Amino acid sequence: MSLAGKTILMSGGSRGIGLAIALRAAADGANIAMLAKTDTPHPKLEGTVHSAAEAIRAAGGQALPIVGDVRDDGQVTEAVMKTQGEFGGIDIVINNASVIDLSGSLDLAAKKYDLMQDVNVRGTFMLSRAAVPLLRESANPHILSLSPPMNLSPKWLGAHTGYTLAKYGMTMATLGIAAEFADAGIAANTLWPRTTIATAAVQNLLGGDRVMAASRTADIYADAAYAVITKPAREYSGQTLIVEDVLEADGVTDFSKYAAVPGTPDDRLFPDIFLD
């Protein structure tokens, strides 16, 4: 199944994994609307919603950059309406926007706790909910959230409680929507990698150059996301999926091309969090 002519509404996506997913879809000729805050360049981070739109068009897709905040209900509603007005509907929602702070409970600022809850959990729920009426009209509607499986091991519950709550909240919201709208044929799944992905978050928050060199590129996440959102929605929903498992199920056995540093053996890659 191709994404040609399909319309994706994504939160965030100015850079990193979200942009990689958008570019993979654009190669099919997909329409991609992006609701993101990055209207102007960040001093330390590359990419804005406008530069992402240019890259999407260059890759063969149609782009609709929407400057807005997934925490603002009015802007979420407006993004859905703008997407419908530009492309005629919505086939896929990708909950990509996420805030990370791995501070321990005593060190985590209250404002950052609230921000993670607002963007990760509330944003996922509100954007998905706002799109449901249009997803009902799609021939193969999907919601995909970039969040981990629910691992209740104390190792992860206690490692960074505030962030864990926010990411598991994304997953719970997604699984709840999958169950609630199963009769409507709307698929909702989550997707998470086994290894760290070479993004700005890894560079700045998880270990700098050392971990970046032991990571995989965002292309592996993009290829797995593509595999998920092109599957029959009524047959593929309510799952907490792992990137590598999705690709292996589709016949991929060699992941070497995804190494951020070519030639890095799989057993030297840095494992991502939340997976034992």
Side-chain angles (χ1 to χ4, degrees), residues 224-258:
Y226 179 90
V228 173
I229 60 180
T230 53
K231 285 183 167 48
R234 287 189 178 274
E235 302 171 12
Y236 203 79
S237 184
Q239 301 185 63
T240 54
L241 302 163
I242 303 301
V243 163
E244 290 80 355
D245 291 348
V246 169
L247 295 176
E248 286 177 352
D250 279 0
V252 179
T253 58
D254 182 5
F255 296 128
S256 60
K257 69 176 182 179
Y258 297 116

Side-chain angles (χ1 to χ4, degrees), residues 100-162:
I100 179 172
D101 189 318
L102 302 181
S103 299
S105 297
L106 298 183
D107 297 321
L108 180 64
K111 286 185 177 180
K112 184 57 78 69
Y113 175 91
D114 290 342
L115 180 63
M116 288 193 291
Q117 286 290 323
D118 285 347
V119 173
N120 300 9
V121 187
R122 192 178 189 278
T124 293
F125 177 78
M126 291 298 180
L127 185 63
S128 300
R129 183 179 76 165
V132 163
L134 296 181
L135 290 171
R136 287 182 184 271
E137 300 174 7
S138 170
N140 195 46
H142 278 269
I143 296 171
L144 182 63
S145 299
L146 308 190
S147 60
M150 301 285 293
N151 185 348
L152 300 184
S153 165
K155 173 182 178 180
W156 298 118
L157 288 174
H160 26 64
T161 303

Side-chain angles (χ1 to χ4, degrees), residues 155-156 192-197 206 211 214-215 244 266-276:
K155 173 182 178 180
W156 298 118
W192 196 250
R194 287 199 181 281
T195 75
T196 50
I197 303 297
L206 293 181
V211 178
S215 298
E244 290 80 355
D266 287 354
D267 62 4
R268 297 294 299 274
L269 296 174
F270 202 84
D272 209 327
I273 58 178
F274 298 123
L275 302 181
D276 293 332

Side-chain angles (χ1 to χ4, degrees), residues 3-255:
L3 292 178
K6 299 291 186 180
T7 296
I8 297 172
L9 174 58
M10 176 185 294
S11 61
S14 298
R15 61 183 71 89
I17 293 167
L19 180 56
I21 292 172
L23 294 177
R24 178 64 184 87
D28 273 9
N31 309 314
I32 299 152
M34 308 180 94
L35 173 63
K37 292 174 61 181
T38 51
D39 186 32
T40 57
H42 188 281
K44 295 183 179 180
L45 300 173
E46 294 184 0
T48 67
V49 67
H50 306 296
S51 64
E54 292 174 1
I56 288 166
R57 296 183 187 113
Q62 299 295 319
L64 176 63
I66 304 170
V67 178
D69 192 334
V70 75
R71 295 174 295 171
D72 186 304
D73 295 346
Q75 292 178 20
V76 167
T77 300
E78 184 178 7
V80 170
M81 294 177 66
K82 282 184 175 180
T83 304
Q84 181 187 27
E86 182 76 12
F87 300 125
I90 296 175
D91 300 289
I92 299 156
V93 170
I94 298 180
N95 293 300
N96 163 73
S98 185
V99 176
I100 179 172
D101 189 318
L102 302 181
S103 299
S105 297
L106 298 183
D107 297 321
L108 180 64
K111 286 185 177 180
K112 184 57 78 69
Y113 175 91
D114 290 342
L115 180 63
M116 288 193 291
Q117 286 290 323
D118 285 347
V119 173
N120 300 9
V121 187
R122 192 178 189 278
T124 293
F125 177 78
M126 291 298 180
L127 185 63
S128 300
R129 183 179 76 165
V132 163
L134 296 181
L135 290 171
R136 287 182 184 271
E137 300 174 7
S138 170
N140 195 46
H142 278 269
I143 296 171
L144 182 63
S145 299
L146 308 190
S147 60
M150 301 285 293
N151 185 348
L152 300 184
S153 165
K155 173 182 178 180
W156 298 118
L157 288 174
H160 26 64
T161 303
Y163 180 62
T164 300
L165 284 168
K167 293 306 288 189
Y168 286 4
M170 288 180 71
T171 297
M172 291 182 69
T174 305
L175 295 179
I177 288 168
E180 185 175 357
F181 298 102
D183 290 346
I186 299 174
N189 297 287
T190 70
L191 186 63
W192 196 250
R194 287 199 181 281
T195 75
T196 50
I197 303 297
T199 63
V202 168
Q203 175 72 56
N204 297 328
L205 299 173
L206 293 181
D209 293 341
R210 181 179 68 87
V211 178
M212 285 286 280
S215 298
R216 288 185 169 134
T217 68
D219 290 341
I220 191 171
Y221 219 138
D223 287 348
Y226 179 90
V228 173
I229 60 180
T230 53
K231 285 183 167 48
R234 287 189 178 274
E235 302 171 12
Y236 203 79
S237 184
Q239 301 185 63
T240 54
L241 302 163
I242 303 301
V243 163
E244 290 80 355
D245 291 348
V246 169
L247 295 176
E248 286 177 352
D250 279 0
V252 179
T253 58
D254 182 5
F255 296 128

